[in-house]
Amino acid sequence: MMVGKEDVGLSLSLGPGLSIPPRHHFLAMPHWPTDLARGRLRGIDVNRPPPPAGDADEEEDAAGAASSSPNSAASSVLSGGAGKRDHGASYCSDEDGDGSRKKLRLSKDQSAVLEESFKEHNTLNPKQKVALAKKLRLRPRQVEVWFQNRRARTKLKQTEVDCSFLKRCCESLTEENRRLHREVQELRALKLSPQMFMHMTPPTTLTMCPSCERTSPSSAPPPPPPLHHRRRPIAALASLLDAPPPRSSSLCIIEE
DNA sequence: CACTCGCCGCGACTTACATCA
DNA sequence: ACTGATGTAAGTCGCGGCGAG
C-alpha cells in the first residue's frame, strides 16, 4: 500500500445528514455488460485466455480497448502462482467455468513500474498503454484500469487533504468570530467611558485585495465577491490560516 | 453548416476478492 | 480457525469529445 492509513481513512462525511449519496444505488447484479449492446466488443472473445505477451495486445487495443469487458482480468502470469506475500500477478481466469470473479494481484515489480509511469504522466495514450502492457506482460485493459484507479486514489487523497484544510479554516473562522464578538462587547462597554476610547487601537484589521483594492470588513452588507476571489475558495481561505493551501489549490490569496 | 450516430476514454460508483490484524 | 477492516482490481453506468456520414 502506497498511501498511509491516515491518508485514506478520513471519512468524507460532512456531518450528520450530510454524507454524500452514491451516484448509483442500484443492486449491481453481475449482468451482461451494456458494452456488448453498445457494440464495443467487436470480435472479441471475452472468455479468451490471456494471449502470449506481445501478440494479441495490439489486436485487442485496435478493437477498441475492450472497455469494460467481463472476465478481462485473465492476465498473464509473471511470477506464477498466487504466493501469499509477493503475489505475482496471480492467475485470474474464468476457465474453471464457475463464473466466479477471481482477483488479480499485481506483483510488486509491476506496481512499481506502473507507479513510476504514473509519476511521469497520469494518463496514457494508446501507444504508451500498449507498450507498458507489453513490458509488464499485462493486458492493455489492465494497465488502463490501473491508471483509472490510481487517478481516483489520487483525487480521493487530495479531497481528504482539502477537507481537513477546510475544517481547519472553519475552526479558525469560528475562533475569529468569537474574538470579534468579545471585541464588540468590550467596545460597547467602553462606550460608557469615552475617555478610554482614545487609547484604543483600531479594533479590526482591514484586509485589501491587491487585484480589486476592495477592503473589508464593511458595515454594509457585503456584495458577492468578485470572480477572482471565488475561483479557488480553498486557496483564498488559506489566507485565514498561517498555512499554505493544499497542493492542488492555488491562486488568489488575499494578502493582509 | 448543423445534425445525428457510433466509438472511445474517462470519472464516479460499485462489487468481489485478497490480505492482514 | 474465524472475522471484520482495509486495499484494490475490475465491472458498470453515464457523459462528453470526436470523426464520419
Side-chain angles (χ1 to χ4, degrees), chain A residues 11-26:
Chain A
S11 166
L12 290 182
S13 162
L14 300 177
L18 284 177
S19 59
I20 300 168
R23 259 179 76 224
H24 317 292
H25 221 71
F26 58 91

Side-chain angles (χ1 to χ4, degrees), chain A residues 3-246:
Chain A
V3 179
K5 280 184 181 174
E6 67 277 10
D7 295 326
V8 168
L10 196 150
S11 166
L12 290 182
S13 162
L14 300 177
L18 284 177
S19 59
I20 300 168
R23 259 179 76 224
H24 317 292
H25 221 71
F26 58 91
L27 184 66
M29 301 274 291
H31 53 276
W32 203 243
T34 54
D35 282 342
L36 274 179
R38 293 177 194 173
R40 290 189 190 184
L41 303 178
R42 295 158 299 166
I44 297 173
D45 178 4
V46 294
N47 290 318
R48 176 187 64 178
D55 55 3
D57 280 348
E58 295 88 339
E59 172 197 320
E60 175 183 335
D61 213 53
S67 175
S68 300
S69 61
N71 308 317
S72 66
S75 80
S76 56
V77 181
L78 252 194
S79 56
K84 178 141 195 194
R85 210 64 189 103
D86 193 7
H87 30 264
S90 60
Y91 187 64
C92 183
S93 78
D94 208 8
E95 283 179 350
D96 46 0
D98 63 356
S100 64
R101 188 166 139 189
K102 301 283 194 308
K103 183 82 174 188
L104 166 94
R105 303 291 297 189
L106 300 177
S107 71
K108 282 182 179 176
D109 287 345
Q110 287 171 321
S111 293
V113 171
L114 287 164
E115 200 65 45
E116 277 305 306
S117 181
F118 185 82
K119 277 180 193 167
E120 286 180 33
H121 27 242
N122 65 357
T123 55
L124 291 175
N125 62 40
K127 269 189 176 179
Q128 291 171 321
K129 182 170 68 182
V130 169
L132 198 52
K134 201 178 264 185
K135 182 178 175 185
L136 298 171
R137 304 191 67 188
L138 294 170
R139 289 168 174 271
R141 168 67 183 158
Q142 290 177 286
V143 174
E144 181 182 309
V145 164
W146 188 91
F147 269 73
Q148 281 175 7
N149 285 322
R150 185 66 178 78
R151 284 192 294 272
R153 287 196 292 271
T154 301
K155 185 174 183 182
L156 177 65
K157 197 177 168 187
Q158 187 57 49
T159 302
E160 288 165 358
V161 169
D162 288 351
C163 191
S164 62
F165 184 80
L166 285 170
K167 199 175 164 191
R168 282 194 295 137
C169 282
C170 184
E171 288 164 0
S172 175
L173 285 167
T174 302
E175 180 52 39
E176 173 74 354
N177 192 31
R178 277 198 210 100
R179 193 186 65 76
L180 290 170
H181 271 293
R182 281 199 301 270
E183 206 168 287
V184 167
Q185 297 285 333
E186 288 168 15
L187 287 172
R188 283 186 178 143
L190 282 172
K191 246 183 161 182
L192 301 174
S193 51
Q195 66 273 23
M196 295 276 291
F197 188 76
M198 299 175 67
H199 303 290
M200 294 272 304
T201 53
T204 56
T205 307
L206 289 179
T207 59
M208 179 178 286
C209 169
S211 302
C212 61
E213 298 188 355
R214 187 192 298 257
T215 57
S216 69
S218 162
S219 57
L227 269 182
H228 64 277
H229 284 186
R230 285 178 277 181
R231 197 170 26 182
R232 285 287 189 175
I234 292 178
L237 283 169
S239 64
L240 299 169
L241 297 173
D242 284 334

